[in-house]
Amino acid sequence: MASTTFSGPVTSTNGFIGALTGNVTGNVTGNIAGTGRVTHATTAAINATATATAAEVATGYITVTSATAVVITLPTGTLLGAALGAAKGTVFDLYIDNTASTSSGAVTVAVATNGILSSAAVDTAGSFGDLTIPVGATGLARFTIMFSSATAYVFTRTA
């Protein structure tokens, strides 16, 4: 197969061979292989109790460096869905890093209007429903946000 450079939209009926580099936008279907590594070029810092903006959550990685407890309330389903371009079936992972906080700087996450805890989160509060992130080395958490529509999401802790 020859290597060719194109500009503008390109369509293939037989698929493409090779690696994707740079930013990829739009829908990607089929088998995706790689290192399994997720890199967040942009992060958001929230260091006091607040409602996170949709743009902050859309970075996928929130850092907290506080000496006191912090409550982060997620944005409404409507705002978050619009920021992510979400539709029914959209899945998004949110990481919260509380490793640099000190003393009693635990972080608690709360959902807002049109955000609900999954049944796993409600049934098993000690794991999937654990919405508190401790201080220090174990202060990392991954949450999965699954959209049931463009304006409503289900929230679960997954790590």
Side-chain angles (χ1 to χ4, degrees):
M1 176 175 193
S3 178
T4 306
T5 302
F6 297 95
S7 64
V10 177
T11 302
S12 170
T13 57
N14 295 320
F16 294 98
I17 298 173
L20 295 173
T21 60
N23 295 325
V24 178
T25 59
N27 296 328
V28 178
T29 60
N31 297 323
I32 299 172
T35 62
R37 179 178 54 218
V38 175
T39 303
H40 295 278
T42 305
T43 63
I46 299 176
N47 296 311
T49 293
T51 296
T53 67
E56 288 170 330
V57 174
T59 68
Y61 201 97
I62 295 174
T63 61
V64 182
T65 57
S66 178
T68 60
V70 171
V71 176
I72 299 173
T73 301
L74 297 176
T76 67
T78 300
L79 293 173
L80 188 55
L84 295 174
K88 181 177 183 172
T90 298
V91 178
F92 180 79
D93 284 335
L94 172 63
Y95 297 83
I96 298 181
D97 182 344
N98 194 33
T99 58
S101 289
T102 59
S103 183
S104 60
V107 174
T108 301
V109 182
V111 296
T113 303
N114 293 341
I116 61 169
L117 294 178
S118 70
S119 62
V122 172
D123 294 344
T124 50
S127 55
F128 297 109
D130 188 358
L131 303 180
T132 301
I133 305 144
V135 173
T138 60
L140 290 169
R142 180 183 67 209
F143 298 93
T144 298
I145 301 170
M146 301 168 287
F147 284 83
S148 57
S149 74
T151 61
Y153 62 85
V154 175
F155 189 73
T156 305
R157 183 169 182 162
T158 50

